[in-house]
């Protein structure tokens, strides 16, 4: 059968006709002559098949006249009217039937359903045929040649499934087949998976919106809501770490369990009594407005009983810790501004006014920024109040480019720093550098533990004391030392109950042990650590005994067997025989492990595997992070998700996006 392909030139002045042989269409509704544009001629066969298989264009309802580009023209078989539409849209053709031939709609729908059933049956047969062919090919070709496996590590094979799955032969064969592994030692077993489960990880669970004012009551309810969502009980939470804001402080002072026990707790830790639950006692929130509570104006006019009734009875918050990094940041910003020394205030004001002018110009003018870059060949950071360490980093960058900036200040026509002012900046960095380094350590998220807090704060104070020969920044150094002693009094006064958590966290870390403890507190801290190891060992024994089967068939015999050797046992105990010694050795196991651990010179975390009891103490007190900086980073990621163009995101969708974004980098 002959058809004509008509192609038109760009200026539409001439047409070229070419006779081509193509099979006759199966559908009677397709005309003997079809018009195609050269740009779509490569897809003409697919388009023709798509149209002829459509229930509308099989000749019953419409007869196709022409196809030009994506435009389709067909005649209605009921009224012979020509309808124009798109290849990928049948809207115009259906609309014509709805408006002009509504009586035929039932027939049209039946035709559509019939065509759909035939299409599904065809796809099913085709799928079975493909699967059969694939199965035949699998019998002929080796599995490894099809997928071309590559070498992978044990960590890549790990997947979250029930631990017993790792021991199943079918599961091992499946993993080895999919990955091409021939050595079964690469596959994780249940012991490996148990070790993986005990490894320390940090994940984002949620980020909920607080509607209304951020009062202590709304904050408490928000925390409880997340804990209930994931069914997390307070007994499973070591600490809740927040910044030093007064609303957080009041929330935990009002609803936390540690505050409820604070009134009956001892005021000091003594060598005579180490079994008190002093870990339940936390220091009160230490912020600049610790005695000021934010109160809603409307609540002033309400009766006090009404306010009490508004509190949910089930609000109970876990133990609370304030962010150590935020506390250091307050020292570097809020406390420093309170220096009263006149000479220091005068030179400090002059220096930072000139630097602020420089930072303002390069941040607001691209021309000025380009000039400075051409002179110094680097960019200069601008301090930001909400970003910790930004002031120190900005000043240090200026000092590093001192010689080049002398020309840069002239180029920008701003006041240059005098020699005495440059000397002031050098002393400023000398004093603030230890604080900045301590802040960087404590605001980390990986390879950081609560045990770093006490050694870091004590080492920071010693470094500041040793910073002598200061001419201009001596008042700065003295004030930082004084602020450290005030804000971290529970670190420098280790006999107070709030110190217990930090003492045990640091001693149980192999990198510190007792090396950081001041001489006057070494005996106290050592005895506290030994007592905690004994307590952990006793709890583990009780747990092991409780987990044994109490209703075993031989339980009666085992219980009364002791009567058979009661006299021997009694005599042996009096004479110091082996049985009595074994019992004493078992009771002293915790102390032996603790003392051996303290005497060991190894500082690697792997050392804890040799001392299981000490490891339990480490896990108990070093699970918490010392800083809330990871949450601050969470908020930074939130601003990248909730952009002006995505301001219609619901709270639920925003939370899911934020969690996915932050957890994918873990």
């Amino acid at each position: 059968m002959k058809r004509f392909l008509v192609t038109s030139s760009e200026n539409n002045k001439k047409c070229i006709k070419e006779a081509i042989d193509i099979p006759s269409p199966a559908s009677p509704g397709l005309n003997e002559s079809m018009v195609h544009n050269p740009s779509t001629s490569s897809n003409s066969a697919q388009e023709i098949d798509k149209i002829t298989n459509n229930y509308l264009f099989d000749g019953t309802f419409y007869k196709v006249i022409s196809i030009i580009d994506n435009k389709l023209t067909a005649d209605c078989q009921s009224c012979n009217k020509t309808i124009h539409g798109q290849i990928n849209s049948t809207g115009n053709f259906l609309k014509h039937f709805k408006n002009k031939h509504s009586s035929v709609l039932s027939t049209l729908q039946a035709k559509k359903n019939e065509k759909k059933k035939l299409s599904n049956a065809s796809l099913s047969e085709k799928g079975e045929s493909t699967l059969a062919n694939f199965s035949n090919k699998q019998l002929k070709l080796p599995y490894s040649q099809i997928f071309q496996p590559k070498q992978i590590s044990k960590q890549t094979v790990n997947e979250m499934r029930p631990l017993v799955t790792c021991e199943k032969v079918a599961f091992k064969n499946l993993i080895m087949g999919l990955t091409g592994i021939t050595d079964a030692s690469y596959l994780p077993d249940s012991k490996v998976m148990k070790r993986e489960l005990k490894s320390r990880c940090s994940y984002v669970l949620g980020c909920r919106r607080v509607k209304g004012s951020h009062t202590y009551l709304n904050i408490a309810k928000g925390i409880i809501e997340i804990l209930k969502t994931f069914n997390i009980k307070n007994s499973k939470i070591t600490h809740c770490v927040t910044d030093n804001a007064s609303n957080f402080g009041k929330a935990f002072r009002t609803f936390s369990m540690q505050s409820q026990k604070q009134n009956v707790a001892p005021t000091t830790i003594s060598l005579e009594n180490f079994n008190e639950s002093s870990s339940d006692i936390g220091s009160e929130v230490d912020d600049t407005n610790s005695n000021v509570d934010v109160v809603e104006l409307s609540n002033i006019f309400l009766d006090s009983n009404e306010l009490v009734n508004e509190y949910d009875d089930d609000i109970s918050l876990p133990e609370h810790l304030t962010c150590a990094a935020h506390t250091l940041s307050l020292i570097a910003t809020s406390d420093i501004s309170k220096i009263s020394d006149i000479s220091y205030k005068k030179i400090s004001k002059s220096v930072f006014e000139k630097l602020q002018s420089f930072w303002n110009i390069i941040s607001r003018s691209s021309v000025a920024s380009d000039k400075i870059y051409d002179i110094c060949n680097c960019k200069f950071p601008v301090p930001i109040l909400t970003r910790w360490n930004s002031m120190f980093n900005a000043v240090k960058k200026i000092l590093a480019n001192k010689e080049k900036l002398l020309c840069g200040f002239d180029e920008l026509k701003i006041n240059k720093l005098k020699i005495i002012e440059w000397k002031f900046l050098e002393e400023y960095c000398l004093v603030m550098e230890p604080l900045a380094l301590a802040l960087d350590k404590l605001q980390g998220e990986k390879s950081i533990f609560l045990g770093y807090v006490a050694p870091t704060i004590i080492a920071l104070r010693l470094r500041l004391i040793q910073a002598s020969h200061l001419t201009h920044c001596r008042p700065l150094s003295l004030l930082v030392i004084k602020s450290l002693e005030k804000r971290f009094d529970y670190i420098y006064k280790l006999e107070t109950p709030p110190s217990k958590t930090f003492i045990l966290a640091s001693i149980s870390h192999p990198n510190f042990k007792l090396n950081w403890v001041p001489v006057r507190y070494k005996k106290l801290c050592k005895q506290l650590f030994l007592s905690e190891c004994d307590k952990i060992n006793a709890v583990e024994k009780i747990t092991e005994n409780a987990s044994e089967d109490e209703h075993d068939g031989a339980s009666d015999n085992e219980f009364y067997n002791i009567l058979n050797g009661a006299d021997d046992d009694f005599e042996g105990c009096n004479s110091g025989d082996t049985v009595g010694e074994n019992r004493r050795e078992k009771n002293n196991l915790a102390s032996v492990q603790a003392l051996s651990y303290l005497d060991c010179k190894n500082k690697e975390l792997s050392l804890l595997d040799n001392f299981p009891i000490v490891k339990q103490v480490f896990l108990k007190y070093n699970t918490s992070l010392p800083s809330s900086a990871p949450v601050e980073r969470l908020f930074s990621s939130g601003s990248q998700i909730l952009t002006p163009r995505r301001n219609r995101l619901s709270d639920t969708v925003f939370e899911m996006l934020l969690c996915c974004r932050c957890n994918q980098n873990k």
Side-chain angles (χ1 to χ4, degrees):
M1 170 182 175
K2 293 288 185 179
R3 292 248 180 98
F4 289 92
L5 178 65
V6 181
T7 62
S8 58
S9 61
E10 294 181 358
N11 54 12
N12 294 324
K13 291 183 178 179
K14 60 180 181 179
C15 295
I16 302 175
K17 294 184 179 180
E18 179 182 359
I20 58 174
D21 290 322
I22 61 174
S24 299
S27 170
L30 198 63
N31 280 350
E32 293 297 323
S33 61
M34 297 293 296
V35 182
H36 297 288
N37 188 286
S39 62
T40 60
S41 60
S42 60
N43 297 328
S44 60
Q46 297 178 1
E47 294 169 357
I48 293 172
D49 290 339
K50 181 178 179 181
I51 295 170
T52 55
N53 289 329
N54 194 299
Y55 70 99
L56 284 175
F57 307 106
D58 61 354
T60 304
F61 304 102
Y62 284 100
K63 185 176 182 180
V64 177
I65 301 301
S66 64
I67 302 174
I68 303 177
D69 293 334
N70 291 327
K71 297 179 180 180
L72 172 63
T73 304
D75 285 343
C76 176
Q77 298 300 294
S78 299
C79 62
N80 294 326
K81 184 176 180 180
T82 302
I83 307 298
H84 303 279
Q86 301 290 329
I87 293 178
N88 298 324
S89 176
T90 59
N92 289 349
F93 303 99
L94 290 174
K95 185 177 180 180
H96 172 72
F97 265 85
K98 290 179 181 179
N99 295 335
K100 302 295 183 181
H101 314 293
S102 57
S103 59
V104 192
L105 288 178
S106 57
T107 307
L108 189 146
Q109 185 65 35
K111 187 73 173 180
K112 179 181 179 181
N113 295 336
E114 181 183 356
K115 197 75 173 180
K116 188 175 182 180
K117 291 180 180 179
L118 293 174
S119 177
N120 292 338
S122 176
L123 289 175
S124 178
E125 294 176 359
K126 188 180 295 185
E128 292 176 358
S129 175
T130 304
L131 183 61
N133 293 336
F134 181 73
S135 301
N136 294 334
K137 290 181 180 179
Q138 279 189 318
L139 296 176
K140 297 178 181 179
L141 295 176
Y143 195 81
S144 58
Q145 292 182 8
I146 298 175
F147 290 96
Q148 297 179 354
K150 59 181 180 181
Q151 295 293 331
I152 58 176
S153 62
K154 284 185 178 181
Q155 289 75 13
T156 309
V157 180
N158 289 347
E159 183 65 29
M160 293 305 296
R161 292 289 183 272
L163 297 181
V164 69
T165 307
C166 302
E167 309 298 337
K168 294 182 178 179
V169 178
F171 176 79
K172 292 182 178 181
N173 293 337
L174 174 64
I175 298 299
M176 294 178 69
L178 291 175
T179 59
I181 294 177
T182 56
D183 188 359
S185 62
Y186 277 93
L187 298 177
D189 55 17
S190 59
K191 294 181 179 179
V192 174
M193 298 307 299
K194 287 181 180 178
R195 288 199 299 269
E196 291 292 332
L197 290 175
K198 293 181 179 179
S199 62
R200 186 174 178 271
C201 298
S202 175
Y203 289 97
V204 178
L205 293 182
C207 181
R208 302 292 169 83
R209 177 183 178 185
V210 178
K211 295 184 179 180
S213 301
H214 292 187
T215 61
Y216 73 99
L217 184 58
N218 287 338
I219 289 175
K221 289 182 177 179
I223 296 175
I224 292 299
E225 180 186 351
I226 292 181
L227 296 182
K228 287 183 177 179
T229 301
F230 295 94
N231 196 22
I232 301 175
K233 298 181 180 179
N234 288 345
S235 59
K236 297 295 184 180
I237 302 174
T238 55
H239 296 95
C240 188
V241 184
T242 70
D243 61 22
N244 297 40
S246 59
N247 50 0
F248 279 111
K250 185 174 181 180
F252 284 93
R253 288 198 304 272
T254 306
F255 298 111
S256 68
M257 298 177 61
Q258 68 188 85
S259 297
Q260 298 171 4
K261 298 180 181 180
Q262 191 169 8
N263 295 330
V264 297
T267 56
T268 59
I269 299 176
S270 61
L271 287 174
E272 289 78 12
N273 188 3
F274 281 95
N275 293 326
E276 297 290 340
S277 180
S278 54
S279 62
D280 294 333
I281 306 157
S283 61
E284 191 171 357
V285 174
D286 190 12
D287 55 66
T288 54
N289 297 312
S290 59
N291 297 323
V292 179
D293 294 331
V294 179
V295 180
E296 287 288 336
L297 184 61
S298 59
N299 292 340
I300 298 176
F301 303 99
L302 293 177
D303 184 71
S304 58
N305 294 328
E306 295 180 5
L307 289 176
V308 173
N309 292 334
E310 289 181 359
Y311 298 162
D312 292 338
D313 295 333
D314 58 347
I315 294 183
S316 177
L317 297 179
E319 295 187 19
H320 181 225
L321 282 181
T322 55
C323 174
H326 188 213
T327 305
L328 287 178
S329 179
L330 290 175
I331 294 175
T333 54
S334 177
D335 294 356
I336 287 178
S337 63
K338 299 176 183 178
I339 296 178
S340 58
D341 187 271
I342 298 176
S343 60
Y344 173 85
K345 291 174 66 177
K346 182 178 179 180
I347 189 172
S348 174
K349 181 179 179 181
S350 175
V351 169
F352 285 106
E353 282 181 352
K354 294 178 181 179
L355 293 183
Q356 192 62 51
S357 299
F358 170 73
W359 289 324
N360 289 340
I361 291 176
I362 62 174
S363 62
R364 298 171 183 174
S365 172
S366 59
V367 176
S369 179
D370 293 339
K371 288 181 179 179
I372 294 297
Y373 184 84
D374 293 338
I375 296 173
C376 302
N377 197 28
C378 66
K379 295 283 188 179
F380 288 87
V382 178
I384 301 175
L385 293 177
T386 58
R387 187 169 297 172
W388 301 335
N389 273 4
S390 61
M391 176 61 75
F392 170 77
N393 293 332
V395 172
K396 190 175 182 180
K397 188 73 173 182
I398 287 177
L399 273 177
N401 296 272
K402 173 182 175 181
E403 301 299 331
K404 296 179 180 179
L405 280 177
L406 294 175
C407 300
F409 280 36
D410 289 334
E411 187 70 22
L412 298 180
K413 297 180 181 180
I414 58 177
N415 294 329
K416 295 189 297 184
L417 273 71
K418 302 176 183 178
I419 297 177
I420 189 175
E421 293 174 336
W422 284 110
K423 180 65 176 177
F424 170 84
L425 284 182
E426 292 176 358
E427 292 188 1
Y428 176 86
C429 288
L430 182 64
V431 173
M432 299 302 292
E433 186 171 16
L435 192 147
L437 293 175
L439 206 157
D440 283 338
K441 291 179 181 295
L442 296 181
Q443 68 182 358
E445 186 175 358
K446 298 180 180 179
S447 302
I448 187 67
F449 303 91
L450 191 64
Y452 275 78
V453 175
T456 301
I457 299 303
I458 290 178
L460 172 59
R461 179 176 176 271
L462 293 176
R463 285 180 174 273
L464 291 172
I465 292 175
Q466 294 175 358
S468 56
H469 309 292
L470 297 175
T471 304
H472 307 287
C473 291
R474 185 65 179 172
L476 175 64
S477 177
L478 294 176
L479 185 133
V480 173
I481 294 173
K482 183 179 178 180
S483 296
L484 284 172
E485 294 173 349
K486 179 181 178 181
R487 291 185 176 272
F488 293 97
D489 60 332
Y490 54 89
I491 299 297
Y492 298 110
K493 299 177 182 178
L494 296 178
E495 72 277 4
T496 57
S499 306
K500 179 183 176 181
T501 298
F502 298 92
I503 293 172
L504 295 175
S506 299
I507 296 179
S508 61
H509 196 294
N511 191 42
F512 303 113
K513 298 176 183 175
L514 286 170
N515 299 333
W516 62 275
V517 181
V519 177
R520 65 182 181 276
Y521 291 120
K522 283 217 173 191
K523 184 178 180 181
L524 175 69
C525 294
K526 182 178 180 180
Q527 190 61 37
L528 181 64
F529 177 65
L530 294 176
S531 177
E532 186 66 22
C533 289
D534 289 336
K535 188 187 300 182
I536 292 292
N537 189 35
V539 172
E540 286 189 350
K541 288 180 181 178
I542 295 174
T543 305
E544 291 176 0
N545 294 334
S547 62
E548 294 178 356
D549 188 4
E550 298 179 355
H551 301 284
D552 185 61
S555 60
D556 289 343
N557 295 332
E558 292 176 359
F559 180 80
Y560 291 109
N561 276 343
I562 193 172
L563 298 177
N564 297 330
D567 294 338
D568 297 336
D569 188 25
F570 180 76
E571 293 176 0
C573 289
N574 289 336
S575 59
D577 66 347
T578 307
V579 176
E581 291 177 359
N582 289 339
R583 287 180 177 176
R584 286 192 294 272
E585 288 179 2
K586 192 171 184 179
N587 293 333
N588 293 331
L589 175 62
S591 299
V592 171
Q593 277 198 28
L595 293 173
S596 301
Y597 162 78
L598 294 176
D599 292 337
C600 185
K601 303 298 182 182
N602 189 354
K603 294 185 177 182
E604 300 295 329
L605 283 176
S606 57
L607 173 66
L608 295 173
D609 294 331
N610 301 328
F611 304 98
I613 298 176
V614 178
K615 185 176 182 179
Q616 292 301 316
V617 178
F618 174 86
L619 294 175
K620 179 179 178 180
Y621 289 96
N622 278 285
T623 299
S624 303
L625 291 175
S627 168
S628 61
V631 181
E632 302 291 339
R633 300 187 189 101
L634 188 72
F635 292 152
S636 299
S637 300
S639 63
Q640 298 172 6
I641 295 175
L642 193 62
T643 59
R645 293 188 177 182
R646 306 176 75 182
N647 58 1
R648 294 187 179 181
L649 286 176
S650 65
D651 295 345
T652 304
V653 174
F654 170 77
E655 182 181 21
M656 290 189 294
L657 291 174
L658 182 64
C659 291
C660 290
R661 180 184 181 90
C662 296
N663 286 331
Q664 68 183 358
N665 297 323
K666 300 295 183 183

